[in-house]
């Protein structure tokens, strides 16, 4: 090796350039760039041929047959954005065959590192040599293997730690493959007859191999082979599907001379030592043979192979089965071109590409191999999956051109989890380096295929990041044709700071509003808490962007890592492209379909890491935010958003889990309803910019969009907020109090806005009004803000419902009083407000509130006010005397109404005197001050007297002709009380009443009649009834009732007083006959007297009546009375005779009964002493 010279020094550590967000599945990260490949004095162009990285040692093979050894120096632990730097350690010229002048030499073909035994195998110009790690000093006494075409074939199902005796590899020489275990020394296990092998992939006992023409499947243990298909479909000689026995037959070994290189450490050796070494069995190998680990299995063991022996009918079935599977594969091979043109193309000396097709074998799963085939390097290639039986499985992969290298990333456990413990995503990719044809020349690209899903659109093309532009040049540069991919041993851990920058949380600063700050917050403490939170989030975000990769790409003199693009960056890039790249395009017309497809693509994605979980959450929320903002920013008159798209957006809004305050913050109408709280709103940093941009765009938009007059958008927001309200009580919601305060406030504001607009337009209650009522009737968390909103919008009735929900009876009544007293209520929703207050007072128990608003109501409406205190169903009970006193103090006009309720409703005669006093006060006050009232009374008497019989009673007359004044109604009630409506036992202060109405006897005739009757002055009472009122019907009733009362029901039978006797009634009827005979009008006198005698003649004595009737009256005038009298007399006589006869019969019955009893008893003999 050569020492490090000063000219090369340490390659500088480079910070990664911040590029635009990529949407591809992989990104490039430089490992080493601009490497000095050519040794001193070397004039030919040199390129990289192979690479291996083991721990901190980087080995680079070149076309100049040299290995450059670099050692990695890790970056500072605090600098997460820096990559390791590499210092040049040595330059090694491995032992190799000397090529003839002018013939191209491949240089270093392979570097195979064996970590378990700390050895490396280097294949250079067809010569295999062995070295010790890490400094690449010669091993095994400079043993070389000339004529080697390939080395590798380690068991991919076996980790390095499982092979206790070393590591087993496969060395391909011209005529066979040697299975060799590398340990303290190389030991041959067996030879496998398969000449000219160029590639191997091994799974346990099965290996897929390829020579220059075709692929085959080997049973390494039992040494059987199944031929598969040719590398080139133009090769007509290759036959597939045949099973062959390739058991090794020993041949005399011939010594091979070593081919040393004076530059390669100055050491050389001969193959004879290696051949003799692997040909002799050591005691350890013999012990392995005895223990069953025989490197040369016996024939009976080979027969147990899953591959059927040739004597069974396997060949034909395999041939037909393989051919059939190839014919029905998902992607058919391209048709072979015309043979003549193909051959001409192959022989065209101007073509820069070789016609040789390199076989590629990968093993994506423990039971499958991926093989490539095609027609020529310039034509498209096909990737075919085969299983361990040689059958074609899955669909095929279509490459634009036959690839120069192929690697697998994903599914194999060794490729999923790195030594650093970083778990990779579960997507499975095939990466291939190939060419794309350009107008001038070609360009090398990386094709990326998803092989775990059947999606023809999943292919991606990655441009190789050349350090200079060479695509449009005829001379495409020395790197073209030498770009290769490889999966190396060690993982590279890369940190994507962009991931943390997007996913870590930051505080969203909203414009100042009334809900953002509280007076009791200490600004210093809030600032300190925010700084601490920012530091925590930054620390958290630094560990989110870690990615691991084992795939490297080299081209020319540069090497790159090929690392999976983090999910969040890839999807974020897609969303950014859907939003538009130019500043004047953003937020105008976005590609909604593209964003929706992006969300749909991750619906079934299972997050296996914390980063993936946060990434999916971030992407969903960003997509929802953009779709929502785009919906609001569209002009309603020209909007092309369908109802289906709106429903989809709404569902995404609900399912995304995005804090609703973020969406509300960009809506100008609802922005003020956001409650930040003491801690503020913390969201992903990647969303903050979007929120601010759209908030500004919507704020600058026209009033139509700013006011949410687009009903569909408003309804979408309304349904979204309603869905969030259903999550109340879920413990998983952060900042629950502030979130639901904001949700309730925004929903209330929106419903007020909708109801106001719709009602103003139609003049009728809107559909939103029922939703508004439902909201305030259910408990809202933003009570204080709700009060402010309702006051600002002058919705007092809705405010009262809000208070009702909070059981704030005082506020409810106060709000209703404001409406009733004339304060504006924009909704005009309180109907019959006074009655609503009365009903509400009956439901509460607060005595003070009932007294306050009951008396207030009594002052406005005495009838309703009195019902507050008199309702038997009320929860609060009052003593009548207390109520009377309260009303006298607060609502004097309602006292009379309350007393009426007690007397007439409750029949509490205890308060009748007080009520009579109120009535007298009312009536007498009017009569004293109003001549009109007195005239009205006089006219009523005259009008009634002028009526011709039959006519109603005077009481019925004045009730039917009542005038709508209070004193008239009071007089009716006064007559009712004085007339004995509460029974004969009811008494009142007669003297007091007589004294008060004495001055108004001529005006208050009915009252005087009642009082005369109460005093027993029946003659005076009947005189007034007959001559003062002319109420003959009432006069008759007066007699029948015994003078107890002149008030009785309008209909129904009369019930005489209990104290009234027939004699009393006869006396009163006698008084009445006397008054009727004094009626001035003769015709009326004759009619009334005749009717009285005819109807009530049984109360009169015929002699007395005949003595009272004037002699001038003819018998005909009183014929009715006389006929009735005679009938009664005859009736009495006949009745007496019947009674007498019945009595005689009864005497006979008694006598007969007595005689019968005597007979039965018989005679009794009594002895006389």
């Amino acid at each position: 090796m050569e020492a490090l010279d000063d000219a090369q020094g340490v390659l500088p550590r480079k910070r990664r350039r911040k590029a635009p967000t990529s949407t591809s599945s992989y990104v490039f990260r430089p490992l080493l760039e601009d490497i000095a490949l050519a040794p001193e004095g070397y004039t030919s162009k040199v390129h990289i041929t192979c690479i291996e990285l083991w721990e901190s040692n980087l080995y680079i093979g070149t076309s100049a047959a040299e290995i450059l050894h670099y050692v990695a120096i890790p970056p500072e632990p605090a600098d997460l954005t820096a990559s390791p730097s590499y210092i040049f350690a040595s330059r090694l010229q491995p032992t190799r065959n000397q090529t003839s002048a002018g013939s191209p030499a491949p240089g270093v073909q392979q570097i195979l590192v064996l970590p378990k035994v700390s050895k490396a195998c280097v294949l250079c110009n067809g010569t295999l040599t062995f070295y010790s790690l890490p400094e690449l000093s010669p091993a095994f006494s400079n043993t070389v293997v000339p004529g080697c075409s390939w080395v590798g074939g380690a068991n991919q199902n076996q980790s390095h730690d499982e092979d206790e005796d070393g590591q087993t590899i496969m060395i391909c020489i011209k005529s066979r493959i040697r299975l060799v275990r590398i340990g303290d020394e190389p030991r041959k296990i067996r030879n496998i007859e398969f000449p000219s092998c160029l590639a191997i992939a091994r799974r346990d006992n099965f290996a897929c191999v390829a020579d220059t023409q075709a692929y085959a499947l080997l049973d390494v243990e039992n040494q059987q082979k199944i031929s598969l298909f040719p590398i080139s479909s133009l090769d007509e000689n290759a036959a597939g599907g045949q099973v062959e026995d390739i058991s090794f037959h020993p041949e005399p070994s011939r010594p091979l001379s070593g081919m040393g290189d004076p530059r390669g450490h100055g050491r050389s050796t001969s193959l004879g030592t290696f051949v003799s070494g692997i040909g002799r069995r050591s005691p350890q190998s013999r012990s392995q043979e005895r223990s069953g680990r025989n490197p040369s299995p016996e024939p009976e063991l080979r027969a147990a192979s899953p591959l059927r022996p040739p004597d069974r009918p396997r060949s034909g079935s395999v041939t037909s089965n393989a051919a059939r599977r190839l014919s029905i594969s998902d992607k058919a091979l391209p048709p072979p071109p015309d043979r003549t043109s193909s051959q001409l193309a192959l022989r065209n000396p101007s073509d820069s590409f070789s016609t040789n097709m390199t076989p590629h074998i990968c093993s994506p799963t423990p039971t499958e191999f991926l093989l490539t085939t095609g027609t020529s390097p310039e034509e498209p290639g096909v990737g075919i999956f085969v299983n361990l039986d040689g059958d074609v499985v899955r669909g095929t992969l279509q490459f634009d051109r036959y690839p120069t290298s192929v690697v697998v990333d994903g599914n194999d456990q060794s490729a999923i989890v790195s030594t650093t413990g970083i778990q990779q995503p579960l997507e499975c990719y095939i990466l291939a380096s190939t060419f794309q044809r350009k107008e001038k020349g070609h360009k090398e690209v990386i094709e990326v295929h998803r092989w775990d899903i059947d999606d023809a659109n999943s292919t991606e093309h990655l441009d190789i990041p050349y350090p200079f532009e060479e695509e449009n040049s005829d001379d495409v540069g020395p790197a073209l044709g030498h770009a290769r991919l490889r999966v190396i041993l060690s993982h590279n851990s890369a940190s994507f700071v962009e991931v943390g920058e997007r996913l870590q949380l930051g505080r969203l600063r909203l414009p100042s509003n009334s809900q953002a700050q509280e007076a009791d917050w200490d600004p210093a403490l809030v600032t300190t808490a925010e700084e601490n939170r920012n530091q925590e989030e930054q620390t958290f975000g630094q560990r989110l962007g870690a990615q691991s990769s084992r795939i490297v790409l080299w081209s020319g003199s540069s090497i790159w890592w090929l690392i999976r693009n983090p999910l969040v960056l890839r999807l974020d890039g897609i969303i950014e492209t859907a939003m538009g790249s130019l500043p004047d395009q953003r937020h105008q017309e976005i590609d909604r379909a593209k964003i929706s497809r992006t969300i749909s693509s991750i619906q079934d994605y299972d997050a296996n890491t914390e980063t993936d979980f946060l990434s999916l959450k971030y992407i969903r929320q960003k997509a929802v935010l953009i779709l929502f903002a785009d919906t609001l920013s569209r002009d309603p008159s020209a909007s092309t958003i369908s109802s289906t798209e709106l429903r989809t957006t709404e569902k995404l809004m609900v399912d995304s889990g995005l804090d609703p305050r973020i969406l509300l913050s960009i809506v100008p109408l609802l922005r003020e309803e956001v409650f930040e709280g003491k801690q503020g709103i913390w969201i992903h940093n990647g969303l903050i910019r979007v929120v601010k941009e759209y908030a500004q765009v919507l704020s600058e938009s026209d009033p139509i969009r700013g006011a949410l007059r687009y009903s569909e958008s408003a309804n979408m927001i309304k349904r979204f907020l309603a869905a969030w309200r259903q999550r109340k009580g879920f413990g998983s919601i952060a900042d629950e109090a502030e979130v639901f305060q904001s949700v309730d406030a925004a929903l209330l504001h929106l419903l007020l806005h909708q109801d106001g607009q719709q009602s103003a337009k139609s003049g009728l209650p809107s559909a939103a009004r029922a939703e508004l009522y439902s909201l305030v009737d259910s408990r809202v968390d933003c009570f204080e803000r709700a009060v402010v909103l309702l006051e600002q919008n002058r919705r007092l009735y809705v405010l009262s419902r809000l208070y009702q929900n909070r059981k704030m009876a005082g506020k409810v009544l106060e709000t209703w009083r404001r409406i009733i007293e004339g304060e504006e209520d924009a909704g005009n929703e309180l109907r019959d407000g006074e009655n609503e207050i009365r009903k509400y007072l009956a439901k509460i128990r607060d005595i003070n509130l009932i007294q306050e608003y009951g008396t207030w109501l009594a002052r406005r409406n005495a009838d309703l006010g009195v019902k507050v205190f008199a309702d038997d169903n009320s929860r609060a009970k009052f003593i009548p005397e207390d109520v009377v006193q309260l009303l006298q103090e607060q609502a004097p006009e309602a006292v009379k109404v309350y007393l009426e309720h007690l007397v007439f409703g409750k029949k509490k005669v205890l308060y009748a005197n007080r009520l009579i006093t109120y009535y007298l006060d009312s009536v007498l006050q009017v009569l004293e001050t109003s001549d009109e009232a007195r005239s009205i009374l006089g006219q009523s008497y005259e009008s009634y007297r002028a009526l011709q019989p039959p006519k109603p009673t005077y009481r019925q007359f004045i009730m039917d002709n009542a005038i709508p004044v209070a004193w008239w109604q009071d007089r009716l009630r006064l007559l009712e009380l004085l007339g004995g409506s509460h029974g004969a036992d009811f008494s009142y202060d007669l003297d007091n009443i007589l004294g008060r109405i004495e001055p108004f006897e001529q005006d208050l005739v009915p009252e005087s009649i009642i009082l005369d009757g109460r005093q027993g002055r029946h003659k005076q009472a009947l005189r007034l009834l007959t001559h003062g009122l002319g109420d003959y019907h009432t006069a008759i009733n007066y007699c029948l009732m015994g003078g107890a009362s002149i008030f009785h029901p309008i209909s129904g039978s009369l019930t005489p007083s209990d104290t009234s006797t027939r004699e009393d009634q006869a006396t009163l009827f006698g008084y009445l006959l006397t008054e009727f005979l004094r009626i001035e009008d003769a015709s009326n006198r004759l009619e009334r007297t005749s009717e009285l005698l005819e109807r009530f003649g049984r109360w009169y004595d015929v002699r007395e009546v005949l003595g009272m009737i004037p002699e001038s009256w003819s018998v005909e005038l009183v014929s009715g009375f006389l006929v009735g009298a005679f009938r009664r007399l005859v009736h009495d006589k006949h009745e007496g005779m019947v009674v007498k006869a019945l009595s005689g019969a009864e005497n006979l019955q008694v006598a007969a009964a007595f005689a019968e009893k005597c007979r039965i008893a018989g005679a009794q003999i009594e002895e006389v002493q």
Side-chain angles (χ1 to χ4, degrees), residues 104-121:
V108 179
Q109 297 165 269
Q110 284 181 268
I111 301 175
L112 177 63
V113 173
L114 307 175
K116 176 66 182 302
V117 294
S118 298
K119 297 294 187 291
C121 303

Side-chain angles (χ1 to χ4, degrees), residues 37 47-53 58-63 66-68 106-112 121-124 482 484-486 488 552 554 559:
L37 299 176
H47 61 271
I48 300 173
T49 57
C50 57
I51 293 174
E52 189 57 86
L53 177 64
L58 175 63
Y59 307 105
I60 303 174
T62 69
S63 59
E66 290 185 329
I67 296 179
L68 306 183
V108 179
Q109 297 165 269
Q110 284 181 268
I111 301 175
L112 177 63
C121 303
V122 178
L123 180 62
C124 180
H482 299 293
R484 297 292 185 272
L485 295 167
R486 175 174 170 79
I488 59 177
V552 293
W554 66 84
I559 307 172

Side-chain angles (χ1 to χ4, degrees), residues 422-442:
I422 300 175
Q423 186 176 4
Q424 297 296 320
L426 298 179
E427 294 94 340
C428 302
Y429 293 93
I430 298 292
L431 293 88
S433 58
T434 182
F435 296 89
Q436 276 188 345
R437 191 180 301 276
K438 297 294 181 180
E439 295 180 0
K440 296 182 179 180
H442 298 79

